[in-house]
Amino acid sequence: MFTTAHLFDKPAGLSWMSFVSMRQQAAKSRSSGLAAMVLAMAMPVTASEYKPLRFEEDWRASCNKIAPKCWRIGEAATLIFGADARVRTEYLRPLDFGIGSPGSDNFTLFRGLMHGDLRVGKHVQAFVQLGAYDETGRAGGPVSTDQSRPELQQGFLAWNGDMFSLRVGRQEMTLGTSRLVSVREGPNIRLAFDGVRASWSRGSHRIDGFAFRPVLNRPGAFDDSANKSQAFYGLYATLAPERIAPLKVDLYWLGYERDQGSFAAAQGREHRHSFGTRLFGSAKGWDWNYEAVFQSGHVGDQTIHAWTVSSDTGFTFTNVPWSPRLNLKADIASGDKNPNDGRLGTFNALYPNPTYLSEAALLAPGNIMDLNPALTVKPIPSLKLVLGWDFLWKHHKEDAVYTPPAPLVVIPETIGTDRYIGDQIRLESTYRLSPQWEMRAAAVHFRAGEALTQAGGRSVTFLMTSLAFRW
């Protein structure tokens, strides 16, 4: 009988010195093969850019050079593989601004994603992405976006024509600068939708129409499903007429429904329409991004009259070392002034980027005003540092302060407190070791203002580090 012990038996007629030499060469060969396999995955395989939405990548032109990532199947099809991994650690003290939760939190999130992208001919695409997620250390245990056994993160069939495209199934989506619709990158499980999206594009013009339900995350294996308590649909157009270049314009209408909306001044079934526009572009060192949204509809028996205006104006000194960029963000997301007038004025940001104000994600964009000057520098091309100081107020004293998770959660103790919420200083860094490896870190100190201290709130310290890999 053959056992593993026989691997170390010296063949007859072979000296021990020769045998040891053969063993060393075999071990060296195996190590070299493993190293080659790791390098094949870890090193850049092409100059093609990795994209936030992995299904938008197209590696077919370089397929012959990047095995085992890309495989040709006959003459008409290619199968492209990819993977993502991230470890993110957060420290927060105190929880919930110390209102009813005096303790701290220190936890680590683990994310792993693998995908296959089948392209048949010029237009047909089938994309499947599987994910597994875990966490350790969170006070009170994992939340819904922390943990899941293997799950279908994305899975759809698509027709990608020269001008028209159609995508049916589970998919991620971002719109504009992700203020209203984002992939929720900060939390562990990214946001995906079940439904259909159709697009028309010509040159720099694009129009999207979609009808979705967000995916309801559950901790078991392959048990996520469409959240039937919510619906999301709309039209989104991006236009870039040459006569107004370099200015570009977004125009959109977004419909949103959920069975139970909860605000300081209203609760009940929510049916909300958002009508918005965004003006953005860059020229001669300047960049700008301005957005305005009006919302109508109803929550329970109250009609909605809400709005937001946001701006981000910056200038980059391209001829100065480290290419510093100075910018100022100014935002208002309306609140409710009179809880007894039958009208709800609190803005709902739908599916926003929770880290829009800072990586700490302490506040949600409802009943809030802020001024946020910031400085961005790049000591080397692969390293970006951001220093910002954000000052925040309630829009209306009579309304509350709101926090994540999306779209917003009321802090009831802050209803009627003074307007000044506080200020936060943030230092964020991003270091890209290669096109595939990225390290990030952030430190935030939030100094609580009267809107929070009158409700028993305190100042907050937040720290974050993450390491991410893409293949």
Side-chain angles (χ1 to χ4, degrees):
M1 183 176 66
F2 181 82
T3 68
T4 54
H6 288 80
L7 294 172
F8 300 94
D9 288 347
K10 181 178 72 69
L14 187 67
S15 70
W16 278 105
M17 184 173 295
S18 298
F19 174 64
V20 170
S21 178
M22 287 176 59
R23 298 287 303 165
Q24 291 175 339
Q25 290 294 327
K28 183 177 180 181
S29 177
R30 287 194 298 269
S31 299
S32 299
L34 178 60
M37 183 177 68
V38 171
L39 288 172
M41 293 185 63
M43 294 185 67
V45 292
T46 179
S48 180
E49 183 182 16
Y50 290 94
K51 296 185 178 181
L53 300 178
R54 300 300 304 269
F55 58 80
E56 292 184 345
E57 299 171 6
D58 190 351
W59 302 82
R60 287 176 290 181
S62 305
C63 193
N64 293 333
K65 304 176 184 178
I66 57 174
K69 183 176 180 64
C70 183
W71 299 83
R72 295 203 182 275
I73 305 174
E75 297 182 358
T78 57
L79 180 59
I80 304 164
F81 295 104
D84 295 78
R86 188 192 71 170
V87 179
R88 178 181 170 112
T89 299
E90 296 186 14
Y91 169 83
L92 180 67
R93 181 179 180 90
L95 291 169
D96 302 322
F97 297 101
I99 302 174
S101 302
S104 62
D105 208 352
N106 187 2
F107 58 91
T108 302
L109 303 174
F110 304 92
R111 174 200 292 170
L113 296 165
M114 296 182 64
H115 70 258
D117 188 356
L118 177 65
R119 306 293 182 100
V120 181
K122 185 179 179 181
H123 303 300
V124 177
Q125 179 184 20
F127 185 88
V128 174
Q129 185 180 52
L130 303 179
Y133 314 87
D134 203 359
E135 74 82 31
T136 180
R138 187 187 287 274
V143 299
S144 62
T145 58
D146 276 354
Q147 194 174 68
S148 177
R149 293 179 180 177
E151 188 57 70
L152 179 66
Q153 175 66 21
Q154 298 187 81
F156 61 79
L157 293 174
W159 172 269
N160 301 313
D162 296 332
M163 295 179 61
F164 175 79
S165 64
L166 179 67
R167 190 178 304 131
V168 180
R170 182 167 297 179
Q171 55 197 281
E172 297 175 347
M173 180 175 71
T174 61
L175 295 177
T177 53
S178 300
R179 288 191 70 246
L180 300 184
V181 182
S182 76
V183 295
R184 197 174 58 194
E185 175 61 26
N188 212 21
I189 303 178
R190 288 162 62 109
L191 176 64
F193 297 90
D194 283 351
V196 58
R197 180 178 183 179
S199 304
W200 173 89
S201 61
R202 185 175 181 180
S204 299
H205 305 309
R206 180 184 174 111
I207 301 175
D208 286 270
F210 55 87
F212 287 135
R213 291 189 186 276
V215 173
L216 181 62
N217 301 122
R218 297 186 176 94
F222 299 104
D223 59 352
D224 289 0
S225 62
N227 188 342
K228 295 183 179 180
S229 69
Q230 296 185 29
F232 184 51
Y233 45 88
L235 295 170
Y236 198 101
T238 297
L239 308 173
E242 292 185 2
R243 62 180 178 275
I244 62 171
L247 184 65
K248 300 179 182 179
V249 181
D250 286 354
L251 299 169
Y252 55 88
W253 157 70
L254 306 175
Y256 174 83
E257 301 176 19
R258 59 174 172 164
D259 289 350
Q260 184 63 34
S262 182
F263 303 86
Q267 293 81 37
R269 181 171 178 80
E270 182 174 2
H271 190 179
R272 188 178 294 248
H273 296 278
S274 302
F275 304 90
T277 185
R278 184 170 75 102
L279 306 177
F280 61 102
S282 61
K284 298 180 179 179
W286 289 96
D287 61 88
W288 57 88
N289 180 41
Y290 308 134
E291 191 164 6
V293 185
F294 173 76
Q295 294 184 331
S296 63
H298 62 83
V299 174
D301 59 358
Q302 297 203 36
T303 58
I304 297 171
H305 294 268
W307 53 273
T308 186
V309 176
S310 68
S311 68
D312 183 1
T313 307
F315 184 82
T316 302
F317 298 86
T318 55
N319 295 323
V320 175
W322 296 13
S323 302
R325 176 181 181 261
L326 291 171
N327 74 295
L328 176 65
K329 285 184 177 180
D331 306 277
I332 303 177
S334 66
D336 191 77
K337 184 174 178 60
N338 184 352
N340 301 311
D341 63 359
R343 299 199 309 176
L344 177 65
T346 308
F347 183 77
N348 181 342
L350 308 181
Y351 303 100
N353 173 11
T355 61
Y356 177 77
L357 295 175
S358 78
E359 283 289 338
L362 298 173
L363 298 167
N367 190 40
I368 198 168
M369 305 166 55
D370 82 299
L371 287 174
N372 183 5
L375 169 67
T376 302
V377 296
K378 292 184 176 181
I380 56 178
S382 58
L383 175 62
K384 182 173 73 172
L385 304 173
V386 181
L387 176 64
W389 196 353
D390 197 7
F391 302 85
L392 304 110
W393 298 262
K394 287 182 177 180
H395 180 225
H396 287 301
K397 175 181 177 179
E398 295 78 9
D399 205 340
V401 176
Y402 294 87
T403 66
L408 69 178
V409 176
V410 63
I411 304 178
E413 295 87 349
T414 63
I415 298 174
T417 58
D418 281 349
R419 291 184 61 195
Y420 187 59
I421 299 173
D423 60 89
Q424 58 181 348
I425 297 177
R426 61 187 174 98
L427 176 61
E428 300 171 357
S429 66
T430 303
Y431 178 50
R432 186 169 293 279
L433 292 80
S434 73
Q436 294 171 311
W437 288 95
E438 182 182 80
M439 298 175 61
R440 303 182 66 239
V444 178
H445 180 71
F446 187 99
R447 186 171 58 180
E450 291 80 4
L452 293 167
T453 58
Q454 291 175 6
R458 307 198 310 272
S459 298
V460 176
T461 298
F462 171 86
L463 301 172
M464 183 278 294
T465 60
S466 76
L467 176 64
F469 168 75
R470 316 196 93 182
W471 175 65

